[in-house]
Amino acid sequence: MATYQLTVNGQRKQVNVDPSTPLLWVLREDLKMTGTKYGCGISACGACTVHLDGVATRSCVVPVSMVGNRPIVTIEGIDKDPIGKVVQNSWVEKDVVQCGYCQSGQIMSAVALLKATPKPTDENIEESMGGNLCRCATYVRIREALQNASRQLK
Amino acid sequence: MRAAMKLQNDLHLNRRSFLRVTSAAAGGLLVSLYFDLPLTTAQENQPPTKVYPPDAFVHIRPDGKIMITVNRLEFGQGVHTALPMVLADEMDADWSHVVAELAPAAEVYKDPVFGIQMVGGSGSIAHSFQQYRELGAKVRAMLVAAAADRWRVTPDKCRTEASVVHGPNNQTAKYSELANDAARKPVPEKVTLKNPSEFRIIGKAIPRIDSRAKCDGSQKFGLDLDLPGMKIAVVAHPPVFGGKVKSVDDTEARKVEGVRDVFEIPLVKGSGVAVVADKFWPAKQARDLLKIDWDLSGIEHPDSAQLWTKYRELARTRGNVAVTLGDEKLIDQIAAANRIVAEFEFPYLAHAPMEPLNTTVRFDGEKAEAWVPSQFQTMDQMAIGQVLGLKPEQVTFHTEFAGGGFGRRAVIDSHVQREAAVIAKRLRGTPVKLIWTREDDIRGGYYRPMHAHRVEVGIGADGMPSAWRHVVVGQSLVAGTPFEGMMIKNGVDETAVEGTSDTSYVIPNFHVSAHHPVVNVPVLWWRSVGHTHNAFVMETLIDELATRAKMDGIAYRRKMLKPEAKKLRAVLDLLEEKLVVWRNKLPPPGHALGIACHESFETAVACAVEVSIENKRPRIHHATIAVHCGMAVNPLTIESQFQGGLGFGLTQLVGQGAITLKDGRVEQRNFDGYTPPYIADVPVNVDVHIVPSTDAPTGCGEPPVPVISPAVVNALAKLTGKRYRTLPLVSI
C-alpha cells in the first residue's frame, strides 16, 4: 500500500492503495466516483475514459502510481468545462443514450476531440471516437451530437 | 407504511378487485395490481440504500411529482420512458411531473402475457400497453371522483388536463391536492380509454427520462452499487465448461492485501474458486495468483473445427421436421442448372453487454436482499432463494439499471445469481458483489449458438422458387429447461427455425427440418434469437433469386409475399417510396444498394443500405429503414432502437465477431479478440420511417437486428459478384 495525492475535478484527494491499482478502480471504489465505467480492463472499449492532464486516457490501464501530479477530470466534473457542458447538453438534446453505460467514456472522448479539433470531419470523429465501444450502437446519434456541439461552439 | 396498512384495513378494500389502493406514508396515492405480499416495515437492520415503494405503479407525491413504476428492466430499450408515457397519457398527467423507477421483483410486476417478470420477446410495450393505459385511466377516474366530491358535482362535469382537474364552474384542483382523497375512492372496475386521437403523450417524440443522468455520470447501474461493509467477489471458472477443481493452491493469492477469503464453490456445471476481497483490484490480483489444478476429465472438449465438420454432415441429412408443404422430394428432380445449393455457417456469438455481469446479495439467515440488473427477475429471485434455502419472497429483489443485456441477463439457470448467492451464504450478513470480468463474460459461454444451414432451392420457369428444402443445425436453447414443453415441437426448437419455417413468402414444396446436437457449450437467446441467422439465409437467397430472375429486389419480394403479410407489404411500399430519389440517381462508383426485409416479433422491417468496400471491409454509408410496429408509442425511441439495432446486428458480420473453441477452451478473451462493431463499422446515417398505424403496438427491441447483415451482403454481392454465406466476413 502507498499513499497518493490526486487532483480530481479540481479537488485534492488522498488515497491509500496498492501502487498497481488502476486509476479506474481508485476512482470507482476509493473515491466513490462511479461515473467512470469498467468495460474491459484492457483499454479496448473506452468506457473508462478520463482526462489526464487534458488528454483522453483509458483509466483502466493507468496504475495510480503513474498518475503523478497530472490533474484528472472525470464525467462528474466535465460540466465545469465550457466545452464539456456543451457536449453534455448536446448529448441530452440529441437523445443519444440507450443503456448509457458507455456514454461517460463517449462524452470524455468527444470533449477531448472538440478541444483539439473544434470542427471535426467524419474522419476525425472516427479516429478519435474509434476506440469507444457502444453495444447499443448509438453511434449515429453520437456523430449527430458531436457535430451539433461543434456548431454550438462556433 | 404502517399508516398505509391501517388505512387499507380501515377501508376494507376488496381484495378481489383488479386494483387496490393504499395511501403511502408520504401521503400519496399508490395503485397496484394483484399484490398480496404483506407490506413490511422490516427494514431497520438493513443498510440505507435506494428506497423502493413496496407495491406501486403510481405514486403522486405531495410535491406534485408523479412516480410511475416500470415493471421491467431498463437496459437501453427505453421502456422506462415509454411505459410511463402510456400511463401518464391516460391519467392526463403533466409529463414534466413524471418520474420513473424500476420495480422490484414481485408478483404484481410479472409480464401480463408471459406470467414471469422479464424482458424478452420484444414484449415490453406489446404486453403492457393495455395494462398501463388502464392503470392510468383508473387513477384519473379516482382523482376526478375526489374532485367531484369536493365540488359537489358529478364526475362527468369534470375534465382533466396536465395534472389538474377542472370543474364545471372553473374550479381547479391539482392532482397532488387530490391524491389523499382519491386514495379513498373505490377503484373503478371499468374505465373508458382514450380514442387515439385524444392522446397527448403517446405517439410523441418524447426524450428519454434517464438521459441527463446517463450523461453526467450519476446514473447508477448494478455494478455501481455500494453498500456499507460490502465485499467484492470474483470467481475463477474452469477452462472447459463443466470442469471441476481438483486442488487449489491459494498461498500467494491470500497474501494479497485486502483479500478476505478464498474458497471452492459449486457452479451450475462443475466448480470454481471464489475470491472475496475488500475491493475489485485485490480480488482480481488474487485470482490471477491462484494455482488451480482442474479436473477436465469426463467432459466434452468442444472444438470449433470439429463441430463444423459434424454440423456440415448433419446439414446433409434430414432433421426433425419443422414444416413441410407439398413434395419434399421434388427438389431432387430439378435440373442442376435450375438449382441453388447453399451452405451457410454462423459462429457462436457473445452478447458482451457493456456493463459486465454482476449481482449483489446479502444473506441474513432468515431473509436475503439482492440487487440485480436482471431481465429475468422471477427466475433470478427463485434461484437465489433456492441456493439460500429461502422462498422467493424472502429474497427482496431490486432491479438495477443494466448497461445493455441483449438476452444475456435473461438466463434460465441464473448461473451468475447462483454464484453470488453461494458466496453470500458463506459471508452471511455481509453484502457481496460478484463481478464477472470481461474475460469471464467473453469466455463464459451462454452464446448465440453456432448454426449451419443447408438449403436447396429449385427455380421455376418464372424465376420464382418452385421447391425449397432446408436443414438447420444448431443447439437448442431450451432443451432440458422449463421452457422446453412450450418451445420444442416435434423435436424442433422453434427458436432455431423462426424466420424460416414461418416465412411470409409463398414457397411451394417447402420443407424445413432441424438437428439439435448436444454440445458442451452453454447457449442463450441473443437479441432477435433465431432470426439472426434465419433472416440472413432467407434474405440473401431471395436476393440471389431476384438477381437470377433479373427482377427488382423489392418487386420480387412483393410478388412472393403471402396475401396476409400486410405489414411486410406496407414496409416494402414505404421503403420503395423513400428510395425513389436514391434509386433515380446512379450510386457513386464503387457503391451499391442492398435491401432486405423481415418480420419478427410481429414487427415488419424493410432495410436498404448503400455500401462500398474500403480496406477490404464493407463501408455502410447510409441505411434507410421502413418499420411497421403498429401504433408508434414513442417515435424517438423507435428511431433510436432501429439505428442502434442495426449496429448490434452487424456484430455477426464485421471484424472478429466470432467465438471459437479449441480443445474445449474459448479462444477469445476480451474485446481484443472478440471485436464488436465500433463507430466506423456501422451506417454513418440511418433514417427511420414508420408506417402510420393505430394497430396494437408491437416490439422494436429485436426486429432491427435481423435485416442489416443480409442487406449489407446483398449490396456487396452487387459489387463483387460473390455470395457471402460464412459469417463473420473474413474477406470480401
Side-chain angles (χ1 to χ4, degrees):
Chain A
M1 294 287 166
T3 300
Y4 298 94
Q5 306 284 339
L6 302 174
T7 308
V8 185
N9 301 329
Q11 293 186 317
R12 296 290 285 169
K13 306 272 185 184
Q14 184 173 308
V15 293
N16 186 39
V17 293
D18 183 275
S20 72
T21 311
L23 174 59
L24 167 67
W25 293 102
V26 173
L27 290 169
R28 288 181 55 83
E29 295 190 324
D30 295 278
L31 301 177
K32 312 289 185 193
M33 297 170 73
T34 54
T36 305
K37 302 302 187 193
Y38 165 61
C40 68
I42 61 163
S43 184
C45 79
C48 66
T49 306
V50 300
H51 293 179
L52 200 52
D53 206 9
V55 179
T57 303
R58 310 298 190 219
S59 64
C60 72
V61 291
V62 178
V64 65
S65 57
M66 302 295 285
V67 173
N69 295 323
R70 290 178 287 176
I72 301 156
V73 176
T74 72
I75 189 69
E76 289 93 347
I78 200 66
D79 65 324
K80 294 184 187 69
D81 179 291
I83 294 177
K85 188 82 198 161
V86 168
V87 170
Q88 232 170 17
N89 287 341
S90 181
W91 244 245
V92 174
E93 187 190 330
K94 292 293 175 185
D95 214 42
V96 171
V97 309
Q98 288 185 31
C99 89
Y101 191 83
C102 73
Q103 299 294 349
S104 299
Q106 303 281 1
I107 288 170
M108 296 307 286
S109 291
V111 173
L113 166 61
L114 290 177
K115 279 175 183 276
T117 314
K119 297 285 161 211
T121 60
D122 276 348
E123 212 168 29
N124 296 146
I125 290 176
E126 288 182 12
E127 196 177 302
S128 290
M129 306 298 290
N132 282 86
L133 185 64
C134 174
R135 290 295 283 137
C136 302
T138 60
Y139 302 118
V140 172
R141 296 182 105 81
I142 286 173
R143 278 182 202 267
E144 276 178 29
L146 239 165
Q147 299 287 20
N148 181 51
S150 166
R151 283 191 295 275
Q152 287 177 22
L153 290 165
K154 298 252 154 57
Chain B
M1 209 52 71
R2 283 199 181 99
M5 288 179 76
K6 183 168 185 306
L7 177 64
Q8 193 184 7
N9 292 335
D10 289 347
L11 291 170
H12 303 295
L13 285 168
N14 182 356
R15 281 188 167 257
R16 285 172 300 164
S17 67
F18 184 60
L19 281 143
R20 288 197 292 118
V21 180
T22 62
S23 180
L29 174 64
L30 292 172
V31 179
S32 68
L33 296 163
Y34 295 112
F35 187 44
D36 288 315
L37 293 182
L39 294 169
T40 175
T41 53
Q43 307 285 328
E44 284 87 353
N45 300 325
Q46 297 170 8
T49 56
K50 291 183 193 174
V51 178
Y52 292 94
D55 62 338
F57 280 91
V58 186
H59 179 192
I60 303 172
R61 292 182 185 159
D63 67 358
K65 289 283 183 206
I66 299 168
M67 173 66 85
I68 297 176
T69 303
V70 176
N71 59 356
R72 295 158 192 285
L73 175 67
E74 170 61 53
F75 58 156
Q77 84 281 39
V79 71
H80 173 259
T81 299
L83 283 178
M85 284 171 64
V86 172
L87 197 153
D89 198 327
E90 289 287 355
M91 186 181 160
D92 271 339
D94 183 330
W95 179 249
S96 69
H97 297 162
V98 173
V99 287
E101 63 173 3
L102 303 187
E107 188 67 25
V108 67
Y109 299 121
K110 288 180 175 175
D111 181 294
V113 176
F114 291 135
I116 59 172
Q117 195 173 342
M118 61 170 283
V119 171
S122 294
S124 296
I125 294 298
H127 297 177
S128 280
F129 183 64
Q130 186 72 9
Q131 179 191 16
Y132 273 65
R133 284 184 74 185
E134 286 177 3
L135 277 161
K138 288 179 180 183
V139 175
R140 177 189 165 277
M142 292 159 76
L143 289 158
V144 168
D149 269 8
R150 187 176 288 189
W151 300 326
R152 300 180 187 285
V153 299
T154 53
D156 63 308
K157 297 283 188 293
C158 302
R159 62 180 186 85
T160 51
E161 189 176 345
S163 302
V164 176
V165 184
H166 297 266
N169 301 309
N170 295 323
Q171 308 95 322
T172 59
K174 292 178 186 169
Y175 282 3
S176 53
E177 299 161 8
L178 295 165
N180 270 332
D181 291 343
R184 291 172 173 80
K185 289 287 164 197
V187 180
E189 285 197 9
K190 280 189 180 168
V191 277
T192 308
L193 299 179
K194 287 182 178 180
N195 184 294
S197 64
E198 299 170 285
F199 288 150
R200 294 185 172 112
I201 301 170
I202 294 168
K204 301 282 186 303
I206 305 269
R208 298 177 65 105
I209 289 179
D210 54 7
S211 201
R212 176 64 65 180
K214 288 177 173 178
C215 290
D216 65 13
S218 63
Q219 177 66 58
K220 298 290 184 197
F221 296 84
L223 201 71
D224 300 329
L225 190 78
D226 187 29
L227 300 170
M230 187 177 77
K231 300 295 175 199
I232 303 295
V234 298
V235 171
H237 297 98
V240 179
F241 299 112
K244 294 183 200 70
V245 177
K246 197 185 287 174
S247 65
V248 56
D249 174 359
D250 60 11
T251 317
E252 294 303 312
R254 284 184 180 273
K255 286 180 186 165
V256 176
E257 199 171 343
V259 169
R260 299 295 160 193
D261 207 351
V262 180
F263 50 97
E264 189 181 341
I265 61 166
L267 303 175
V268 170
K269 278 171 75 183
S271 66
V273 179
V275 178
V276 179
D278 295 339
K279 290 185 275 189
F280 172 79
W281 193 246
K284 184 182 178 296
Q285 281 181 302
R287 185 176 73 170
D288 293 345
L289 292 168
L290 290 172
K291 294 186 188 75
I292 305 173
D293 190 10
W294 297 99
D295 176 5
L296 304 176
S297 64
I299 46 173
E300 180 198 346
H301 289 215
D303 189 291
S304 293
Q306 290 169 14
L307 287 173
W308 283 127
T309 305
K310 179 178 165 184
Y311 277 36
R312 283 179 203 125
E313 283 169 13
L314 277 173
R316 288 168 180 273
T317 66
R318 188 179 193 264
N320 293 323
V321 178
V323 62
T324 185
L325 296 169
D327 183 357
E328 178 190 345
K329 309 266 184 210
L330 188 74
I331 184 79
D332 299 321
Q333 297 158 27
I334 294 174
N338 296 325
R339 211 163 3 132
I340 296 172
V341 180
E343 293 176 324
F344 295 83
E345 291 177 9
F346 303 89
Y348 286 115
L349 295 173
H351 306 64
M354 287 306 297
E355 180 201 15
L357 303 175
N358 65 88
T359 284
T360 303
V361 179
R362 191 193 51 236
F363 175 56
D364 296 321
E366 303 299 313
K367 57 184 167 45
E369 196 164 0
W371 294 261
V372 191
S374 170
Q375 279 179 258
F376 254 15
Q377 290 96 328
T378 305
M379 317 292 277
D380 291 345
Q381 185 189 36
M382 277 171 55
I384 291 167
Q386 198 178 39
V387 170
L388 299 175
L390 299 173
K391 293 177 190 154
E393 59 267 27
Q394 291 174 292
V395 181
T396 303
F397 189 101
H398 306 281
T399 307
E400 297 296 308
F401 271 72
F406 320 112
R408 187 64 182 88
R409 302 185 206 272
V411 185
I412 301 171
D413 67 24
S414 301
H415 64 100
V416 173
Q417 289 67 44
R418 286 177 193 276
E419 284 180 20
V422 166
I423 298 165
K425 193 171 186 179
R426 173 148 165 154
L427 272 77
R428 195 168 168 143
T430 300
V432 56
K433 176 162 69 185
L434 169 68
I435 299 177
W436 268 44
T437 62
R438 180 59 62 195
E439 288 80 7
D440 295 325
D441 176 50
I442 298 296
R443 307 179 76 188
Y446 299 87
Y447 307 125
R448 194 286 302 269
M450 59 182 270
H451 282 91
H453 287 238
R454 187 168 195 274
V455 193
E456 299 160 277
V457 186
I459 304 162
D462 59 353
M464 308 309 285
S466 57
W468 187 295
R469 192 163 60 199
H470 193 144
V471 182
V472 182
V473 184
Q475 286 165 262
S476 168
L477 297 179
V478 295
T481 76
F483 290 77
E484 182 174 313
M486 199 167 47
M487 294 166 75
I488 296 188
K489 303 269 165 64
N490 304 323
V492 178
D493 182 333
E494 289 178 348
T495 66
V497 294
E498 60 185 1
T500 289
S501 62
D502 56 351
T503 182
S504 297
Y505 294 127
V506 176
I507 306 174
N509 305 301
F510 182 59
H511 189 272
V512 181
S513 68
H515 296 276
H516 299 306
V518 175
V519 182
N520 182 26
V521 178
V523 289
L524 184 63
W525 20 64
W526 190 92
R527 192 174 180 182
S528 83
V529 199
H531 298 281
T532 56
H533 48 102
N534 282 295
F536 187 88
V537 172
M538 296 303 288
E539 284 302 302
T540 55
L541 281 173
I542 296 298
D543 200 75
E544 188 170 345
L545 290 166
T547 305
R548 276 177 75 136
K550 296 189 168 52
M551 275 181 73
D552 169 73
I554 291 178
Y556 189 89
R557 285 171 172 83
R558 199 182 273 133
K559 193 174 172 187
M560 278 191 71
L561 282 180
K562 293 175 182 170
E564 63 268 30
K566 292 195 175 69
K567 283 186 170 180
L568 274 170
R569 207 172 288 279
V571 294
L572 284 174
D573 290 349
L574 183 58
L575 183 73
E576 189 164 53
E577 183 192 318
K578 298 299 172 189
L579 289 184
V580 166
V581 180
W582 202 356
R583 294 173 131 202
N584 286 345
K585 61 168 185 175
L586 285 171
H591 290 223
L593 195 65
I595 64 165
C597 67
H598 193 69
E599 183 167 334
S600 59
F601 308 95
E602 297 181 56
T603 292
V605 187
C607 170
V609 288
E610 183 184 337
V611 175
S612 67
I613 298 171
E614 279 180 14
N615 304 319
K616 300 183 178 172
R617 309 290 314 145
R619 178 64 163 183
I620 311 166
H621 302 274
H622 195 96
T624 297
I625 288 286
V627 53
H628 193 322
C629 56
M631 190 187 297
V633 171
N634 187 341
L636 192 60
T637 309
I638 294 168
E639 183 181 77
S640 284
Q641 282 300 296
F642 274 85
Q643 290 172 334
L646 297 188
F648 187 85
L650 288 166
T651 304
Q652 69 169 349
L653 195 72
V654 303
Q656 301 170 75
I659 294 289
T660 56
L661 297 106
K662 198 167 175 63
D663 189 28
R665 288 153 172 89
V666 175
E667 295 186 285
Q668 295 73 29
R669 300 177 64 90
N670 203 318
F671 291 135
D672 49 353
Y674 178 76
T675 311
Y678 287 81
I679 195 166
D681 299 313
V682 306
V684 177
N685 292 297
V686 180
D687 54 298
V688 179
H689 307 278
I690 302 170
V691 175
S693 170
T694 51
D695 294 349
T698 53
C700 287
E702 293 168 278
V705 174
V707 288
I708 184 70
S709 298
V712 170
V713 300
N714 288 343
L716 289 177
K718 287 187 185 167
L719 294 171
T720 66
K722 289 195 252 175
R723 287 288 162 184
Y724 303 90
R725 294 172 180 155
T726 300
L727 298 188
L729 286 180
V730 176
S731 63
I732 293 175

